[in-house]
Each structure stands twice: as structure tokens, then as C-alpha cells.
Amino acid sequence: MKVKYLIVGQGIAGTLLSYQLHKRRQSFFIVDKGLQKACSRAGSGLINPITGRRFTVSWMFEELLRKARNTYSEMGQFLGTQILYEHPVLNVFYDREQAGKWKEKMNDPGFAELVGKPTKKFNNNGLLKDAVHTAQVNSSLHIDISNLIIYYRSWLLKNNRLKIGEFSLNDVSYNNGLYSWADIEFEKIIFCGGAADSRLQHFQDLPFKLSKGQAFIAELEEKVPDFIIKGKAFVVPIKASGLYWIGAHNNWSFDDDFPDTEAKEILSKKLTGTLNIGFQFLEPRVGIRPATKDRRPLLGRHPKLTHLYIFNGLGTKGASWAPYWSEIMADYLRMNDFEIPGDVNISRFYNS
């Protein structure tokens, strides 16, 4: 088989980039390890405009939200499954100081417009534990990333565009102007391998900052109102199964990608402090997140090896960043005069 691009990795980055290339009628083939513990399948898929205790609006949020809503709606239709869910986020406050800071922040017209007016009532009925105030955020989305990757993988296999297995640059050969790996001939390689790309020799100058994120799929004793609850733990409804994603615990120092007892105990305590109902943890979700030191994604071409490209560094923002930046990356690959913005271009680490 002869294609223009060989993509290494079918997480959220490889999935969205290959879809954008498909829309542009660009030929590609993907090789992926097929790991069940891949970071993309472990994350919440939450797109939330407000972050941190200072209630900061996420970088480029309005542009990213528009692109995410359009892209995931379109991909759901393309794959014949629902991927995007419109859920308000319910912020739960446990002390009056934080609640006061939120109310003060709501005096900013721009912030208040982004948050939006409540669209429906949250019937607490004693469900929330020790809450002194709650506030809805309506400009939020929940993306079923696991469902997206599974359905898209089926489409790839059906169309002979995916191979499950290991990839190494040592197995690539060059002949008559084309590179080849296995039975695939191609012009360019794009690495979308998440945390694994931090070990690539040719991209060793990129400042990856990896973290181990852990969450659990849980069954709750009672059905929770149709909100994403941001309390001491995040409680995210999974529509397809009726279960809930509970997270997240994050470690910057770790030795492996296996679930650990400490994370389970911490999340159990956080969930107990959030809801007044019983629960059962059914399945751990663990992923190594490919963040970067400057908290910006990594897009571009190797400065010397012009057949090597990377699309990575989405960290905890994969669901919100991937639609927008995959389109930028696809246009960069397709158009010779298209430039990647400097704050996400990997040239920022080679030209400094």
C-alpha cells in the first residue's frame, strides 16, 4: 500500500488528525499499539471553560469550544454514534470564601456571559455533602472519547487503514524517494503517540512533562441529576452505560502505568466528601498524560529530518485541544505556505 502519511498512534491526537486528513482527501495509514490503558481512553472527555481555584478562563476557550462542538457532532454523524453530550457543570463550594470569590467573579460581564444562565434546576435533595453554594456553568461539553476511538478504529480496520502493532524507526527503509515500513510505502511520518513520543531520540529536545492520571468507573446507588458535578471529586455521567467517571488523581512522580491503592483511597475519600450516597468502584482508568512544561501542544516538523513530524503535548486538554489543533496540523501538512502559530510550533524549542 502506498500513502502520503504514516501516523504512529491512534489516541485522540492520531484519531482527530487522520480524520482531518481524510476530509482533505489525503491518504494515510495508522499503526497503533492498541493499549487498553492509553491516556485518551482514561480521561474524562470534559471540556470546561473554568479552571483552578481562581476561576481562570481556559486558554482560547471560545474558539476551541466552537471547533470542538462542530467537529465531534460531525464525527458522530460520520461514525453513526453519539460522541458529544451537552452537560452543564455544577461547581460545588464547601466554604463561603470560595463561594464569595465566585460571586465576585460573576460581576465581570464577560465571565458571566461565558458561564451562562442556569438552563435547568439541580434537585439536590440532600445529594450533595456539606455544600454551602453551587453554581452552574453551561458552556461545557462531555465527549465520549472511548466511544470515539473504538468506533473510529472499526472504521479504520474496515477500510484497511490501521495495523495493530509496534513501530520503530529502525524498521523503516528508504528507496526510490519513498520510505517503507512493513508493507506500507509513505512520504512522511507523523508521531501522535502521546507519552511514548517523549522517548523518541529525534524529538528528545521537546520538554515533555508527563503525569500519571488515575480515575475510576463507578456505579452509584442512586441516579444523579444530569449534570457533571465538580465537587471534591469530578462525577461525570456516562450516558451509554449509566455508570459514572470519577476522578481524577494526578501524580508527577511515578514508576509505572498501573493503578495503585493510594489513588483508589484518595478518590474514594473525595467521592464520599462529594455525594451522600453509596458507590462501588468497578474499573480503574490509568493514563500517562503527555503534557509540556509550557502547557502548550507540540506541532511541527523536525528541523533537520524533514520527513518527521509530531502532533502531541495535549496533556489533560486533549478533548478540547485536539479538534482545533488537528485542523491546523492538517492544513500545515497539506499547504506549503501555511504556518503553525509560534506558541505551539516545536520550532520554539529549536530556535531559542
Side-chain angles (χ1 to χ4, degrees):
M1 177 186 290
K2 185 181 294 185
V3 297
K4 189 159 189 176
Y5 303 105
L6 179 68
I7 298 174
V8 182
Q10 195 239 321
I12 188 67
T15 293
L16 269 290
L17 178 58
S18 62
Y19 177 71
Q20 296 292 353
L21 291 173
H22 173 68
K23 286 177 62 178
R24 289 158 177 76
R25 301 184 182 278
Q26 302 292 296
S27 58
F28 67 87
F29 191 87
I30 300 179
V31 55
D32 183 79
K33 293 180 181 179
L35 298 177
Q36 291 298 314
K37 291 186 286 186
C39 182
S40 295
R41 298 182 65 179
S44 68
L46 177 60
I47 299 177
N48 183 20
I50 313 300
T51 63
R53 293 182 62 82
R54 296 183 179 179
F55 312 126
T56 304
V57 177
S58 296
W59 175 60
M60 289 182 60
F61 183 75
E62 293 186 69
E63 294 172 83
L64 296 173
L65 179 66
R66 283 194 297 270
K67 185 61 65 178
R69 181 178 276 115
N70 292 339
T71 301
Y72 291 123
S73 295
E74 182 183 280
M75 291 192 75
Q77 293 176 5
F78 175 74
L79 296 171
T81 186
Q82 187 169 1
I83 295 166
L84 180 149
Y85 297 89
E86 303 263 1
H87 287 307
V89 171
L90 187 77
N91 286 283
V92 184
F93 300 98
Y94 299 96
D95 63 73
R96 300 196 181 280
E97 181 182 357
Q98 279 298 101
K101 288 180 180 178
W102 176 270
K103 293 174 183 177
E104 183 179 330
K105 194 80 173 179
M106 286 293 289
N107 291 326
D108 178 345
F111 184 87
E113 182 180 1
L114 183 64
V115 168
K117 295 181 179 180
T119 55
K120 56 183 177 180
K121 184 178 180 181
F122 181 86
N123 295 316
N124 188 349
N125 294 328
L127 175 67
L128 301 176
K129 192 168 188 177
D130 299 331
V132 299
H133 182 68
T134 61
Q136 287 186 37
V137 177
N138 293 315
S139 52
S140 55
L141 301 174
H142 176 223
I143 312 303
D144 191 337
I145 299 295
S146 183
N147 206 35
L148 167 63
I149 289 175
I150 290 169
Y151 272 77
Y152 191 71
R153 176 162 298 193
S154 295
W155 180 83
L156 290 169
L157 290 168
K158 181 179 178 180
N159 289 276
N160 193 28
R161 299 197 186 192
L162 173 69
K163 180 180 177 66
I164 307 297
E166 296 281 344
F167 174 84
S168 171
L169 277 172
N170 294 329
D171 299 325
V172 174
S173 58
Y174 181 78
N175 188 38
N176 295 327
L178 287 174
Y179 296 90
S180 63
W181 174 84
D183 59 346
I184 310 299
E185 292 184 310
F186 55 92
E187 299 176 24
K188 301 172 182 179
I189 304 175
I190 311 165
F191 288 99
C192 301
D197 291 351
S198 66
R199 299 188 292 272
L200 291 172
Q201 178 183 354
H202 296 301
F203 288 106
Q204 61 184 353
D205 293 329
L206 299 182
F208 281 96
K209 189 176 181 181
L210 306 182
S211 68
K212 180 179 179 179
Q214 299 185 70
F216 278 85
I217 304 302
E219 183 178 29
L220 304 184
E221 282 187 354
E222 299 177 21
K223 182 175 172 57
V224 172
D226 204 16
F227 286 76
I228 293 168
I229 297 175
K230 183 184 179 184
K232 294 177 181 177
F234 268 102
V235 181
V236 182
I238 305 172
K239 281 283 190 179
S241 64
L243 301 175
Y244 296 84
W245 182 95
I246 310 297
H249 179 63
N250 192 53
N251 280 331
W252 293 103
S253 178
F254 55 92
D255 298 317
D256 55 50
D257 61 353
F258 296 104
D260 56 61
T261 304
E262 179 190 25
K264 185 174 184 179
E265 291 174 351
I266 290 172
L267 288 175
S268 179
K269 185 177 180 180
K270 285 184 175 182
L271 184 54
T272 300
T274 301
L275 300 178
N276 276 316
I277 56 175
F279 60 88
Q280 181 181 0
F281 283 163
L282 303 178
E283 178 189 344
R285 293 285 177 90
V286 185
I288 308 303
R289 297 162 167 167
T292 60
K293 290 184 178 179
D294 64 359
R295 298 184 180 182
R296 295 292 180 264
L298 301 168
L299 285 72
R301 184 177 65 186
H302 191 278
K304 295 180 180 179
L305 302 173
T306 57
H307 66 296
L308 299 185
Y309 294 76
I310 193 166
F311 177 45
N312 208 314
L314 303 182
T316 62
K317 302 291 187 180
S320 58
W321 284 2
Y324 184 91
W325 293 113
S326 63
E327 190 167 290
I328 296 294
M329 187 70 184
D331 286 340
Y332 172 70
L333 290 165
R334 190 173 63 94
M335 297 185 287
N336 293 330
D337 58 347
F338 188 90
E339 293 187 7
I340 295 173
D343 53 351
V344 300
N345 196 322
I346 62 171
S347 64
R348 68 192 190 272
F349 302 114
Y350 294 104
N351 295 337
S352 59

Short mmCIF file of all heavy atoms in Angstrom, two decimals, residues 133-183:
data_model
loop_
_atom_site.label_atom_id
_atom_site.label_comp_id
_atom_site.label_asym_id
_atom_site.label_seq_id
_atom_site.Cartn_x
_atom_site.Cartn_y
_atom_site.Cartn_z
N HIS A 133 -22.74 26.34 48.66
CA HIS A 133 -23.20 27.08 47.48
C HIS A 133 -22.91 26.23 46.24
O HIS A 133 -21.96 25.44 46.23
CB HIS A 133 -22.47 28.43 47.38
CG HIS A 133 -22.92 29.27 46.22
ND1 HIS A 133 -24.17 29.84 46.16
CD2 HIS A 133 -22.28 29.65 45.08
CE1 HIS A 133 -24.29 30.53 45.05
NE2 HIS A 133 -23.16 30.43 44.37
N THR A 134 -23.73 26.38 45.22
CA THR A 134 -23.47 25.73 43.93
C THR A 134 -23.64 26.75 42.82
O THR A 134 -24.36 27.74 42.97
CB THR A 134 -24.42 24.54 43.68
OG1 THR A 134 -25.77 25.02 43.65
CG2 THR A 134 -24.26 23.46 44.72
N ALA A 135 -22.97 26.50 41.69
CA ALA A 135 -23.07 27.40 40.54
C ALA A 135 -22.95 26.58 39.26
O ALA A 135 -22.06 25.73 39.14
CB ALA A 135 -21.98 28.46 40.58
N GLN A 136 -23.82 26.85 38.31
CA GLN A 136 -23.81 26.13 37.04
C GLN A 136 -22.91 26.82 36.02
O GLN A 136 -22.86 28.05 35.96
CB GLN A 136 -25.21 26.04 36.45
CG GLN A 136 -26.14 25.08 37.16
CD GLN A 136 -27.46 24.94 36.43
OE1 GLN A 136 -27.50 24.94 35.19
NE2 GLN A 136 -28.53 24.83 37.17
N VAL A 137 -22.25 26.01 35.20
CA VAL A 137 -21.51 26.50 34.04
C VAL A 137 -22.08 25.78 32.82
O VAL A 137 -22.00 24.55 32.74
CB VAL A 137 -19.99 26.22 34.17
CG1 VAL A 137 -19.26 26.68 32.91
CG2 VAL A 137 -19.43 26.92 35.40
N ASN A 138 -22.66 26.52 31.90
CA ASN A 138 -23.37 25.89 30.79
C ASN A 138 -22.53 25.71 29.53
O ASN A 138 -22.87 24.90 28.68
CB ASN A 138 -24.63 26.71 30.46
CG ASN A 138 -25.65 26.63 31.58
OD1 ASN A 138 -25.91 25.56 32.12
ND2 ASN A 138 -26.19 27.77 31.97
N SER A 139 -21.46 26.49 29.38
CA SER A 139 -20.63 26.37 28.17
C SER A 139 -19.62 25.24 28.35
O SER A 139 -18.41 25.46 28.30
CB SER A 139 -19.94 27.69 27.88
OG SER A 139 -19.25 28.15 29.03
N SER A 140 -20.11 24.05 28.56
CA SER A 140 -19.26 22.88 28.77
C SER A 140 -19.80 21.72 27.96
O SER A 140 -20.99 21.66 27.64
CB SER A 140 -19.20 22.52 30.27
OG SER A 140 -20.51 22.34 30.77
N LEU A 141 -18.91 20.79 27.64
CA LEU A 141 -19.28 19.61 26.86
C LEU A 141 -18.67 18.37 27.50
O LEU A 141 -17.63 18.45 28.16
CB LEU A 141 -18.77 19.72 25.42
CG LEU A 141 -19.23 20.90 24.56
CD1 LEU A 141 -18.49 20.89 23.23
CD2 LEU A 141 -20.73 20.86 24.35
N HIS A 142 -19.31 17.24 27.26
CA HIS A 142 -18.71 15.96 27.62
C HIS A 142 -18.55 15.15 26.35
O HIS A 142 -19.52 14.93 25.61
CB HIS A 142 -19.58 15.19 28.62
CG HIS A 142 -19.03 13.84 28.94
ND1 HIS A 142 -19.81 12.71 29.02
CD2 HIS A 142 -17.76 13.43 29.17
CE1 HIS A 142 -19.06 11.66 29.31
NE2 HIS A 142 -17.81 12.08 29.40
N ILE A 143 -17.32 14.71 26.08
CA ILE A 143 -17.01 13.93 24.88
C ILE A 143 -16.71 12.50 25.29
O ILE A 143 -15.86 12.26 26.15
CB ILE A 143 -15.79 14.52 24.13
CG1 ILE A 143 -15.93 16.04 23.96
CG2 ILE A 143 -15.61 13.82 22.80
CD1 ILE A 143 -17.19 16.48 23.25
N ASP A 144 -17.40 11.55 24.70
CA ASP A 144 -17.16 10.13 24.99
C ASP A 144 -15.95 9.69 24.14
O ASP A 144 -16.10 9.12 23.05
CB ASP A 144 -18.39 9.30 24.66
CG ASP A 144 -18.29 7.88 25.19
OD1 ASP A 144 -17.16 7.40 25.41
OD2 ASP A 144 -19.34 7.23 25.39
N ILE A 145 -14.77 9.97 24.66
CA ILE A 145 -13.54 9.71 23.92
C ILE A 145 -13.35 8.22 23.66
O ILE A 145 -12.94 7.80 22.57
CB ILE A 145 -12.32 10.26 24.69
CG1 ILE A 145 -12.43 11.78 24.86
CG2 ILE A 145 -11.02 9.90 23.95
CD1 ILE A 145 -12.39 12.55 23.57
N SER A 146 -13.65 7.40 24.65
CA SER A 146 -13.50 5.96 24.47
C SER A 146 -14.37 5.46 23.32
O SER A 146 -13.92 4.68 22.47
CB SER A 146 -13.85 5.23 25.77
OG SER A 146 -13.65 3.85 25.64
N ASN A 147 -15.61 5.89 23.29
CA ASN A 147 -16.52 5.51 22.21
C ASN A 147 -16.02 6.00 20.86
O ASN A 147 -16.07 5.28 19.85
CB ASN A 147 -17.91 6.07 22.50
CG ASN A 147 -19.02 5.27 21.84
OD1 ASN A 147 -18.93 4.05 21.73
ND2 ASN A 147 -20.07 5.95 21.42
N LEU A 148 -15.53 7.24 20.83
CA LEU A 148 -14.98 7.81 19.60
C LEU A 148 -13.85 6.95 19.06
O LEU A 148 -13.83 6.59 17.87
CB LEU A 148 -14.48 9.22 19.88
CG LEU A 148 -13.61 9.87 18.80
CD1 LEU A 148 -14.37 10.04 17.49
CD2 LEU A 148 -13.06 11.21 19.28
N ILE A 149 -12.91 6.60 19.92
CA ILE A 149 -11.74 5.85 19.47
C ILE A 149 -12.12 4.44 19.02
O ILE A 149 -11.63 3.93 18.01
CB ILE A 149 -10.67 5.82 20.58
CG1 ILE A 149 -10.06 7.23 20.73
CG2 ILE A 149 -9.59 4.79 20.29
CD1 ILE A 149 -9.10 7.37 21.87
N ILE A 150 -13.04 3.81 19.74
CA ILE A 150 -13.47 2.45 19.38
C ILE A 150 -14.18 2.44 18.02
O ILE A 150 -13.88 1.61 17.15
CB ILE A 150 -14.38 1.87 20.48
CG1 ILE A 150 -13.56 1.58 21.74
CG2 ILE A 150 -15.08 0.61 19.99
CD1 ILE A 150 -14.39 1.26 22.96
N TYR A 151 -15.13 3.35 17.84
CA TYR A 151 -15.86 3.40 16.57
C TYR A 151 -14.97 3.81 15.41
O TYR A 151 -15.09 3.28 14.30
CB TYR A 151 -17.06 4.35 16.68
CG TYR A 151 -18.32 3.69 17.19
CD1 TYR A 151 -18.46 3.40 18.55
CD2 TYR A 151 -19.35 3.33 16.34
CE1 TYR A 151 -19.61 2.78 19.03
CE2 TYR A 151 -20.51 2.72 16.81
CZ TYR A 151 -20.62 2.45 18.16
OH TYR A 151 -21.75 1.84 18.63
N TYR A 152 -14.08 4.76 15.67
CA TYR A 152 -13.18 5.19 14.60
C TYR A 152 -12.20 4.07 14.25
O TYR A 152 -11.87 3.88 13.07
CB TYR A 152 -12.42 6.45 15.03
CG TYR A 152 -11.67 7.11 13.90
CD1 TYR A 152 -12.33 7.78 12.88
CD2 TYR A 152 -10.27 7.07 13.86
CE1 TYR A 152 -11.63 8.40 11.84
CE2 TYR A 152 -9.57 7.68 12.83
CZ TYR A 152 -10.26 8.35 11.83
OH TYR A 152 -9.55 8.95 10.80
N ARG A 153 -11.77 3.32 15.25
CA ARG A 153 -10.88 2.19 14.99
C ARG A 153 -11.56 1.15 14.10
O ARG A 153 -10.95 0.59 13.18
CB ARG A 153 -10.44 1.56 16.30
CG ARG A 153 -9.59 0.30 16.13
CD ARG A 153 -8.83 -0.03 17.38
NE ARG A 153 -7.92 1.05 17.73
CZ ARG A 153 -6.95 0.93 18.64
NH1 ARG A 153 -6.78 -0.20 19.29
NH2 ARG A 153 -6.17 1.94 18.90
N SER A 154 -12.84 0.91 14.34
CA SER A 154 -13.58 -0.03 13.50
C SER A 154 -13.63 0.47 12.06
O SER A 154 -13.50 -0.33 11.11
CB SER A 154 -15.01 -0.20 14.04
OG SER A 154 -15.00 -0.80 15.31
N TRP A 155 -13.84 1.77 11.88
CA TRP A 155 -13.85 2.34 10.53
C TRP A 155 -12.48 2.19 9.87
O TRP A 155 -12.40 1.84 8.68
CB TRP A 155 -14.25 3.82 10.59
CG TRP A 155 -14.29 4.47 9.25
CD1 TRP A 155 -15.30 4.46 8.34
CD2 TRP A 155 -13.23 5.23 8.63
NE1 TRP A 155 -14.95 5.16 7.20
CE2 TRP A 155 -13.68 5.64 7.35
CE3 TRP A 155 -11.95 5.60 9.04
CZ2 TRP A 155 -12.90 6.40 6.49
CZ3 TRP A 155 -11.16 6.36 8.18
CH2 TRP A 155 -11.64 6.75 6.93
N LEU A 156 -11.42 2.43 10.62
CA LEU A 156 -10.07 2.29 10.07
C LEU A 156 -9.80 0.86 9.62
O LEU A 156 -9.28 0.62 8.53
CB LEU A 156 -9.03 2.70 11.12
CG LEU A 156 -8.94 4.18 11.49
CD1 LEU A 156 -8.06 4.37 12.72
CD2 LEU A 156 -8.40 5.01 10.33
N LEU A 157 -10.16 -0.11 10.46
CA LEU A 157 -9.92 -1.51 10.13
C LEU A 157 -10.74 -1.93 8.91
O LEU A 157 -10.26 -2.65 8.03
CB LEU A 157 -10.25 -2.39 11.32
CG LEU A 157 -9.29 -2.29 12.52
CD1 LEU A 157 -9.88 -2.99 13.74
CD2 LEU A 157 -7.93 -2.87 12.16
N LYS A 158 -11.98 -1.48 8.87
CA LYS A 158 -12.86 -1.81 7.74
C LYS A 158 -12.29 -1.29 6.43
O LYS A 158 -12.45 -1.92 5.37
CB LYS A 158 -14.24 -1.23 8.00
CG LYS A 158 -15.26 -1.53 6.91
CD LYS A 158 -16.61 -0.94 7.24
CE LYS A 158 -17.62 -1.21 6.13
NZ LYS A 158 -18.96 -0.61 6.45
N ASN A 159 -11.62 -0.14 6.50
CA ASN A 159 -11.07 0.49 5.30
C ASN A 159 -9.57 0.25 5.12
O ASN A 159 -8.92 0.93 4.33
CB ASN A 159 -11.35 2.00 5.34
CG ASN A 159 -12.82 2.32 5.14
OD1 ASN A 159 -13.30 2.41 4.02
ND2 ASN A 159 -13.55 2.46 6.24
N ASN A 160 -9.05 -0.73 5.85
CA ASN A 160 -7.65 -1.15 5.72
C ASN A 160 -6.69 0.03 5.91
O ASN A 160 -5.77 0.25 5.13
CB ASN A 160 -7.41 -1.80 4.35
CG ASN A 160 -6.07 -2.52 4.30
OD1 ASN A 160 -5.55 -2.99 5.32
ND2 ASN A 160 -5.48 -2.59 3.11
N ARG A 161 -6.91 0.78 7.00
CA ARG A 161 -6.05 1.93 7.27
C ARG A 161 -5.38 1.85 8.63
O ARG A 161 -4.85 2.85 9.12
CB ARG A 161 -6.87 3.23 7.19
CG ARG A 161 -7.48 3.46 5.83
CD ARG A 161 -7.92 4.88 5.67
NE ARG A 161 -8.64 5.09 4.42
CZ ARG A 161 -8.94 6.27 3.93
NH1 ARG A 161 -8.57 7.35 4.56
NH2 ARG A 161 -9.60 6.39 2.80
N LEU A 162 -5.39 0.69 9.25
CA LEU A 162 -4.83 0.55 10.59
C LEU A 162 -4.18 -0.80 10.76
O LEU A 162 -4.72 -1.82 10.33
CB LEU A 162 -5.93 0.72 11.65
CG LEU A 162 -5.55 0.44 13.10
CD1 LEU A 162 -4.60 1.52 13.62
CD2 LEU A 162 -6.79 0.36 13.99
N LYS A 163 -3.02 -0.79 11.42
CA LYS A 163 -2.35 -2.02 11.82
C LYS A 163 -2.06 -1.94 13.31
O LYS A 163 -1.54 -0.93 13.79
CB LYS A 163 -1.04 -2.20 11.05
CG LYS A 163 -0.26 -3.47 11.40
CD LYS A 163 1.02 -3.57 10.60
CE LYS A 163 1.83 -4.80 10.98
NZ LYS A 163 1.14 -6.05 10.63
N ILE A 164 -2.44 -2.96 14.06
CA ILE A 164 -2.15 -3.02 15.49
C ILE A 164 -0.79 -3.67 15.67
O ILE A 164 -0.57 -4.80 15.24
CB ILE A 164 -3.22 -3.83 16.25
CG1 ILE A 164 -4.62 -3.30 15.95
CG2 ILE A 164 -2.93 -3.80 17.75
CD1 ILE A 164 -4.86 -1.89 16.39
N GLY A 165 0.12 -2.94 16.28
CA GLY A 165 1.45 -3.50 16.49
C GLY A 165 2.46 -2.44 16.90
O GLY A 165 2.14 -1.27 17.07
N GLU A 166 3.68 -2.86 17.08
CA GLU A 166 4.78 -1.99 17.48
C GLU A 166 5.39 -1.31 16.26
O GLU A 166 5.45 -1.90 15.17
CB GLU A 166 5.86 -2.78 18.21
CG GLU A 166 5.40 -3.41 19.52
CD GLU A 166 5.37 -2.42 20.66
OE1 GLU A 166 5.97 -1.34 20.52
OE2 GLU A 166 4.75 -2.74 21.69
N PHE A 167 5.86 -0.08 16.47
CA PHE A 167 6.55 0.64 15.40
C PHE A 167 7.91 1.11 15.90
O PHE A 167 8.03 1.59 17.03
CB PHE A 167 5.74 1.85 14.94
CG PHE A 167 6.47 2.71 13.93
CD1 PHE A 167 6.45 2.39 12.59
CD2 PHE A 167 7.20 3.82 14.35
CE1 PHE A 167 7.14 3.16 11.66
CE2 PHE A 167 7.90 4.60 13.43
CZ PHE A 167 7.86 4.27 12.09
N SER A 168 8.91 0.99 15.05
CA SER A 168 10.24 1.51 15.35
C SER A 168 10.83 2.13 14.08
O SER A 168 10.71 1.56 12.99
CB SER A 168 11.17 0.39 15.85
OG SER A 168 12.50 0.87 15.95
N LEU A 169 11.46 3.29 14.26
CA LEU A 169 12.12 3.92 13.11
C LEU A 169 13.24 3.05 12.56
O LEU A 169 13.62 3.18 11.39
CB LEU A 169 12.68 5.29 13.52
CG LEU A 169 11.69 6.46 13.51
CD1 LEU A 169 12.32 7.70 14.12
CD2 LEU A 169 11.21 6.75 12.09
N ASN A 170 13.77 2.15 13.39
CA ASN A 170 14.84 1.25 12.93
C ASN A 170 14.35 0.30 11.85
O ASN A 170 15.15 -0.27 11.09
CB ASN A 170 15.39 0.45 14.10
CG ASN A 170 16.10 1.32 15.11
OD1 ASN A 170 16.68 2.35 14.76
ND2 ASN A 170 16.04 0.93 16.38
N ASP A 171 13.04 0.11 11.76
CA ASP A 171 12.47 -0.80 10.77
C ASP A 171 12.05 -0.10 9.49
O ASP A 171 11.46 -0.72 8.60
CB ASP A 171 11.25 -1.53 11.36
CG ASP A 171 11.61 -2.36 12.58
OD1 ASP A 171 12.72 -2.92 12.59
OD2 ASP A 171 10.78 -2.43 13.51
N VAL A 172 12.33 1.21 9.41
CA VAL A 172 11.96 1.99 8.23
C VAL A 172 13.12 2.00 7.24
O VAL A 172 14.27 2.22 7.62
CB VAL A 172 11.59 3.44 8.63
CG1 VAL A 172 11.36 4.31 7.39
CG2 VAL A 172 10.36 3.44 9.51
N SER A 173 12.81 1.77 5.98
CA SER A 173 13.83 1.83 4.92
C SER A 173 13.45 2.89 3.90
O SER A 173 12.31 3.36 3.86
CB SER A 173 13.97 0.47 4.25
OG SER A 173 12.73 0.05 3.69
N TYR A 174 14.43 3.26 3.07
CA TYR A 174 14.21 4.32 2.08
C TYR A 174 14.67 3.83 0.71
O TYR A 174 15.77 3.29 0.56
CB TYR A 174 15.00 5.57 2.47
CG TYR A 174 14.81 6.74 1.53
CD1 TYR A 174 13.67 7.53 1.58
CD2 TYR A 174 15.79 7.04 0.57
CE1 TYR A 174 13.50 8.60 0.71
CE2 TYR A 174 15.63 8.10 -0.29
CZ TYR A 174 14.48 8.88 -0.22
OH TYR A 174 14.30 9.94 -1.08
N ASN A 175 13.80 4.01 -0.29
CA ASN A 175 14.15 3.55 -1.64
C ASN A 175 13.31 4.31 -2.67
O ASN A 175 12.09 4.44 -2.52
CB ASN A 175 13.90 2.04 -1.77
CG ASN A 175 14.43 1.48 -3.07
OD1 ASN A 175 15.48 1.89 -3.54
ND2 ASN A 175 13.68 0.57 -3.66
N ASN A 176 13.96 4.82 -3.69
CA ASN A 176 13.28 5.49 -4.81
C ASN A 176 12.33 6.61 -4.35
O ASN A 176 11.21 6.75 -4.84
CB ASN A 176 12.50 4.47 -5.66
CG ASN A 176 13.41 3.49 -6.35
OD1 ASN A 176 14.53 3.83 -6.74
ND2 ASN A 176 12.94 2.26 -6.51
N GLY A 177 12.79 7.41 -3.38
CA GLY A 177 12.03 8.58 -2.97
C GLY A 177 10.92 8.31 -1.98
O GLY A 177 10.18 9.23 -1.62
N LEU A 178 10.77 7.05 -1.54
CA LEU A 178 9.71 6.70 -0.59
C LEU A 178 10.30 5.93 0.60
O LEU A 178 11.27 5.19 0.45
CB LEU A 178 8.63 5.85 -1.25
CG LEU A 178 7.68 6.53 -2.23
CD1 LEU A 178 6.78 5.49 -2.89
CD2 LEU A 178 6.84 7.59 -1.53
N TYR A 179 9.68 6.12 1.74
CA TYR A 179 10.01 5.34 2.92
C TYR A 179 9.07 4.14 2.98
O TYR A 179 7.95 4.19 2.44
CB TYR A 179 9.88 6.19 4.18
CG TYR A 179 10.85 7.34 4.23
CD1 TYR A 179 10.50 8.59 3.70
CD2 TYR A 179 12.11 7.19 4.79
CE1 TYR A 179 11.40 9.65 3.72
CE2 TYR A 179 13.01 8.25 4.81
CZ TYR A 179 12.65 9.47 4.28
OH TYR A 179 13.54 10.51 4.30
N SER A 180 9.51 3.10 3.63
CA SER A 180 8.64 1.93 3.76
C SER A 180 8.78 1.31 5.14
O SER A 180 9.86 1.33 5.75
CB SER A 180 8.95 0.89 2.67
OG SER A 180 10.28 0.40 2.81
N TRP A 181 7.68 0.80 5.62
CA TRP A 181 7.61 0.07 6.88
C TRP A 181 6.57 -1.03 6.69
O TRP A 181 5.45 -0.77 6.23
CB TRP A 181 7.19 1.01 8.03
CG TRP A 181 6.96 0.30 9.32
CD1 TRP A 181 7.90 -0.06 10.24
CD2 TRP A 181 5.70 -0.16 9.84
NE1 TRP A 181 7.30 -0.71 11.29
CE2 TRP A 181 5.96 -0.78 11.07
CE3 TRP A 181 4.39 -0.09 9.36
CZ2 TRP A 181 4.95 -1.34 11.83
CZ3 TRP A 181 3.39 -0.65 10.13
CH2 TRP A 181 3.67 -1.26 11.35
N ALA A 182 6.95 -2.26 7.07
CA ALA A 182 6.10 -3.42 6.79
C ALA A 182 5.77 -3.40 5.30
O ALA A 182 6.66 -3.35 4.47
CB ALA A 182 4.85 -3.40 7.68
N ASP A 183 4.50 -3.41 4.92
CA ASP A 183 4.14 -3.36 3.50
C ASP A 183 3.58 -2.00 3.11
O ASP A 183 2.87 -1.86 2.12
CB ASP A 183 3.12 -4.45 3.17
CG ASP A 183 1.85 -4.32 3.99
OD1 ASP A 183 1.85 -3.57 4.99
OD2 ASP A 183 0.85 -4.98 3.64
#
